[in-house]
Amino acid sequence: MATKTTPNRQQTHLAVLIDADNAPAAIVEGLFEEIAKYGVASVKRIYGDWTQPQLGKWKQVLLDHSIQPIQQFAYTKGKNATDSALIIDAMDLLYTRRFDGFCLVSSDSDFTRLAARLREEGLMVYGFGESKTPDPFVRACDKFIYTEILRADPVTPAEPAETGQPQEPKAPAAKPKPQRVPLDFIAKVLDDIADDEEDWVQLGALGQNISKLRPAFDPRLYGFKKLSDLIKGHPKRFELQARGGSNSGGKDLYARNVRK
């Protein structure tokens, strides 16, 4: 008797392109953990001039994460040829039609048009950059994650002083302080998309609409692990309700503004 097999759920394939000049190596663990939430990193490439000492920390983690380094020399002093190499590769990968989305890891606004072009082809674009990332690049992405919340800076031994005496180890970088929650913005989105008499909105739909309007919105920026925690943490503004799910047997979460 033949054994019935269950087909695997179709995976989302992503191309991860990293601008080594504008991304710290300290994010690498958190970066790929975050990317795994959205799909499979089928291609992982990082661009830079690997003859330069400032990329030394990236060299230490490339093998551990199977990231392919792409060498790009600076043709002219003071000009960055890395961006062009990354953009050309992105377009080559786009036309293979093998990917569902791209992860662009950089704080450089030069990739704004690339993000927009990829989205024109119907692909998801996830941006990763520091809080200094210019707003046009942030808004050109479907979703943008600030890398400060992904950093993992372990305590590392300091270099010995000239006297030969060891110095104190370097402390890890401090996590950014939580930002102020945009309560009025969330409340307006809830009002805009509420479609029943009771004004309840499914939490997943709320998150999707918030991301469309503000790609960089992330509950972790405000000190909350998930959107449900953020809503629950402001009982004077929002209500959260769990309802029985239709298929999985779990609970679906709904939110609404507190009625006055």
Side-chain angles (χ1 to χ4, degrees):
M1 182 177 178
T3 302
K4 183 182 289 186
T5 58
T6 302
N8 293 328
R9 184 174 62 86
Q10 185 176 5
Q11 294 179 321
T12 299
H13 293 277
L14 303 173
V16 181
L17 307 179
I18 305 170
D19 175 10
D21 295 324
N22 285 287
I27 69 170
V28 67
E29 292 283 352
L31 173 66
F32 286 105
E33 288 175 4
E34 187 74 17
I35 290 172
K37 298 177 184 179
Y38 308 115
V40 178
S42 301
V43 166
K44 293 182 281 187
R45 298 179 185 175
I46 185 167
Y47 300 78
D49 184 353
W50 300 99
T51 65
Q52 300 300 312
Q54 63 265 27
L55 300 185
K57 290 185 178 180
W58 271 115
K59 292 179 184 178
Q60 298 171 16
V61 300
L62 296 183
L63 286 178
D64 292 340
H65 296 274
S66 299
I67 309 172
Q68 180 185 2
I70 306 297
Q71 170 63 32
Q72 182 58 55
F73 292 104
Y75 298 122
T76 304
K77 188 175 181 180
K79 297 291 185 180
N80 188 357
T82 299
D83 295 358
S84 298
L86 190 155
I87 292 169
I88 290 170
D89 271 10
M91 298 308 294
D92 286 344
L93 293 170
L94 167 65
Y95 292 125
T96 66
R97 307 296 178 188
R98 295 188 291 115
F99 299 95
D100 304 295
F102 281 74
C103 299
L104 304 179
V105 186
S106 179
S107 302
D108 193 338
S109 62
D110 288 349
F111 299 111
T112 301
R113 179 59 187 137
L114 172 62
R117 181 68 182 86
L118 295 171
R119 291 181 67 186
E120 287 172 4
E121 292 293 323
L123 301 183
M124 288 291 295
V125 178
Y126 302 97
F128 295 83
E130 296 178 328
S131 56
K132 66 181 181 181
T133 304
D135 195 54
F137 180 34
V138 173
R139 292 187 175 276
C141 301
D142 291 288
K143 176 72 176 174
F144 196 91
I145 298 93
Y146 288 120
T147 54
E148 283 85 353
I149 62 177
L150 306 178
R151 292 178 68 95
D153 292 313
V155 176
T156 55
E159 294 295 329
E162 293 182 1
T163 59
Q165 295 297 324
Q167 296 177 326
E168 290 294 322
K170 297 178 181 178
K175 287 285 185 180
K177 293 181 179 181
Q179 300 178 17
R180 184 177 180 180
V181 180
L183 297 175
D184 292 340
F185 167 69
I186 297 172
K188 185 178 186 307
V189 175
L190 280 168
D191 282 338
D192 289 345
I193 65 175
D195 59 359
D196 61 28
E197 294 181 359
E198 297 296 320
D199 294 333
W200 289 104
V201 174
Q202 206 275 336
L203 202 65
L206 174 61
Q208 291 172 7
N209 279 271
I210 288 175
S211 292
K212 288 177 183 177
L213 295 169
R214 293 191 183 181
F217 179 90
D218 193 312
R220 291 169 294 184
L221 293 172
Y222 312 107
F224 297 92
K225 186 177 180 181
K226 299 180 294 185
L227 180 59
S228 59
D229 296 332
L230 187 154
I231 296 296
K232 193 184 302 181
H234 294 84
K236 293 183 179 180
R237 295 294 303 268
F238 310 117
E239 296 180 64
L240 193 67
Q241 183 184 88
R243 301 180 184 178
S246 56
N247 296 322
S248 63
K251 296 289 186 180
D252 291 331
L253 294 178
Y254 287 77
R256 73 176 180 183
N257 291 314
V258 169
R259 290 187 162 187
K260 299 179 181 179

